[in-house]
Amino acid sequence: MARYRVGLETRERILSATRRLLAEVGIEGVTLKAITAHARVGAGSFYNLFASKDDAVFEVIREAIESVDPDPAGAGADTLDDLVDAFVAFMTGSSPIARIYLQLAGRGLTDPSIASRVLRSHRRRVERFADAWQREDPSLSEAEAVARAEVMLGALTGLGMTALIDPSFDMRAHANELLPSQQGVAVPPLS
Amino acid sequence: MARYRVGLETRERILSATRRLLAEVGIEGVTLKAITAHARVGAGSFYNLFASKDDAVFEVIREAIESVDPDPAGAGADTLDDLVDAFVAFMTGSSPIARIYLQLAGRGLTDPSIASRVLRSHRRRVERFADAWQREDPSLSEAEAVARAEVMLGALTGLGMTALIDPSFDMRAHANELLPSQQGVAVPPLS
DNA sequence: GCAGAAATGGAACGAACACTCCAATATGTA
DNA sequence: TACATATTGGAGTGTTCGTTCCATTTCTGC
């Protein structure tokens, strides 16, 4: 619907406000009033650019789900270290998107349509981690590699959740424990 | 407020309905209308027994958080196998409480009061798992044991989330991968 | 079985919600 | 410059929310 420059700018302002609000107050806490207030637009302007509130929210959600996969361009060449590093960076970075993604996972427990989206992106990620496992240890069968990838991603997700709830949690140190190359290496004491 | 038998029964019916609804539609999806409809009571009856909707909801939430710790009575004597087993049983069991707990963890990302409750129970659990780790391998320092417990619980939480979103996921098999006694043992192929 | 308190259902309330409507204005095109 | 249309803010809509109120019924100790 947006054709003029000002309209496209307003659209971006709305999406930016929605992104921030999703991270701060959660999916259910986002109201149209809050979005329009933060984006400094009237309700009429909003509905001139989006069909509904959910339209804007889902736009941001899609963006969140897609950006969980770190560096999707370099597919097929990552080492396990790279993948874990990228995942940790995504979780502990300043972007609100990681918060949104983890909330979505929780919401997938009750909303089937969100569950299927989250699951699909999860399966893609498992595949990439499994490939990396097999490159690291070619003696692994595919099933074994997939199983290890599943456990590793489960752990990374769980650690990410702890890290986002508890800012003092050192996710990177704990995530390194998961790497076969670091097996048994001590984690530095918590500050 | 409840003094007579019928009142206490009604109270239980309301809590039961709230518990089921929390698991099925999530915290934000629970409405007073849904609670009173499922419990077959009028709004007046509800407010005769609870101060607010949140009063009933928090009652169930408290129950959910407390029951995550499997078998708190046998503290200090569990093996790692026992603890993992109990956690898996809790997650994959038929009780709606595991679903509620995982939702809560997600909500802790935006609600500080819920975050602190979830964190407190998490820390208690880490302590128990760390103790079990040290019993299993007395050469571990306390810091190392805590680190391993943290990773293990992160993985269990992440795997539990996957299991509750994807019913075909075999959590028990994957959780066993985490045990030092099973390190390197293959996971049976997914059906 | 009577008195007093507890329990009940449902109508009614204000607040908050997503969304509509529209007159006024800004923007791009030719 | 002039025209068509995109963009704007905000008052107004209908709905749903949690909660209150209260007349009526049910319960229990004495």
Side-chain angles (χ1 to χ4, degrees):
Chain A
M1 298 281 186
R3 290 236 257 268
Y4 293 171
R5 186 182 46 83
V6 283
L8 293 168
E9 282 170 4
T10 303
R11 201 186 132 85
E12 279 314 307
R13 229 170 43 247
I14 289 172
L15 286 176
S16 170
T18 307
R19 201 176 299 123
R20 193 149 50 102
L21 284 166
L22 271 176
E24 283 171 9
V25 299
I27 301 172
E28 314 282 350
V30 176
T31 65
L32 192 81
K33 199 174 172 180
I35 293 175
T36 54
H38 279 77
R40 292 189 310 279
V41 297
S45 310
F46 180 93
Y47 282 97
N48 180 48
L49 296 163
F50 295 91
S52 66
K53 188 193 80 168
D54 283 348
D55 190 14
V57 169
F58 283 137
E59 174 92 27
V60 173
I61 285 180
R62 213 167 336 186
E63 167 197 358
I65 289 184
E66 277 167 15
S67 66
V68 183
D69 259 319
D71 184 29
D78 309 302
T79 66
L80 269 181
D81 287 57
D82 289 340
L83 288 173
V84 168
D85 225 53
F87 198 93
V88 171
F90 173 75
M91 282 290 171
T92 59
S94 61
S95 164
I97 296 188
R99 276 199 129 67
I100 297 173
Y101 183 77
L102 285 185
Q103 280 178 56
L104 275 181
R107 213 182 128 91
L109 294 168
T110 57
D111 185 331
S113 82
I114 288 189
S116 73
R117 288 165 184 265
V118 169
L119 257 187
R120 206 172 329 135
S121 89
H122 176 72
R123 294 231 172 87
R124 267 203 307 271
R125 223 168 313 128
V126 167
E127 218 170 305
R128 280 187 78 198
F129 274 70
D131 287 350
W133 263 107
Q134 270 194 314
R135 259 178 270 123
E136 202 99 346
D137 180 356
S139 74
L140 284 178
S141 73
E142 188 175 325
E144 283 167 339
V146 167
R148 297 214 178 166
E150 199 83 66
V151 171
M152 186 174 237
L153 268 169
L156 286 173
T157 308
L159 291 174
M161 189 156 276
T162 304
L164 287 194
I165 292 181
D166 176 7
S168 74
F169 187 77
D170 184 350
M171 179 178 180
R172 192 172 295 274
H174 286 87
N176 282 337
E177 278 256 316
L178 293 166
L179 291 169
S181 57
Q182 303 283 322
Q183 209 65 269
V185 172
V187 167
L190 300 174
S191 59
Chain B
M1 301 276 183
R3 290 237 255 269
Y4 292 172
R5 187 181 46 83
V6 282
L8 293 169
E9 282 170 4
T10 302
R11 201 186 133 85
E12 280 313 306
R13 233 172 37 247
I14 288 173
L15 287 175
S16 170
T18 306
R19 202 176 298 123
R20 193 149 49 102
L21 283 167
L22 272 175
E24 283 171 10
V25 299
I27 301 172
E28 314 284 350
V30 176
T31 64
L32 193 81
K33 198 175 172 179
I35 293 176
T36 55
H38 278 78
R40 294 189 309 280
V41 298
S45 309
F46 180 94
Y47 282 96
N48 180 48
L49 295 162
F50 295 91
S52 65
K53 189 194 79 168
D54 283 348
D55 189 15
V57 168
F58 283 139
E59 174 91 29
V60 173
I61 285 180
R62 211 165 328 159
E63 167 196 358
I65 288 183
E66 277 167 15
S67 67
V68 183
D69 260 318
D71 183 28
D78 310 302
T79 65
L80 270 181
D81 288 58
D82 289 342
L83 287 173
V84 169
D85 226 54
F87 197 93
V88 171
F90 173 74
M91 281 291 172
T92 59
S94 61
S95 165
I97 295 187
R99 276 199 130 68
I100 297 172
Y101 182 78
L102 285 184
Q103 281 178 56
L104 275 180
R107 209 181 133 92
L109 293 167
T110 57
D111 185 330
S113 82
I114 288 189
S116 74
R117 288 164 184 265
V118 169
L119 257 187
R120 205 171 330 134
S121 89
H122 177 73
R123 294 231 173 85
R124 266 202 308 270
R125 224 168 312 128
V126 167
E127 217 170 306
R128 280 187 78 198
F129 273 70
D131 286 349
W133 263 108
Q134 271 195 312
R135 258 177 271 124
E136 203 99 348
D137 179 356
S139 75
L140 285 177
S141 74
E142 187 173 327
E144 283 167 338
V146 167
R148 298 214 177 169
E150 200 82 65
V151 170
M152 186 173 236
L153 268 169
L156 286 174
T157 307
L159 292 174
M161 189 155 277
T162 304
L164 287 194
I165 292 181
D166 176 5
S168 73
F169 187 77
D170 184 351
M171 179 178 181
R172 192 172 295 273
H174 287 87
N176 282 338
E177 279 256 316
L178 293 166
L179 292 169
S181 58
Q182 302 283 323
Q183 209 65 269
V185 172
V187 168
L190 302 174
S191 60

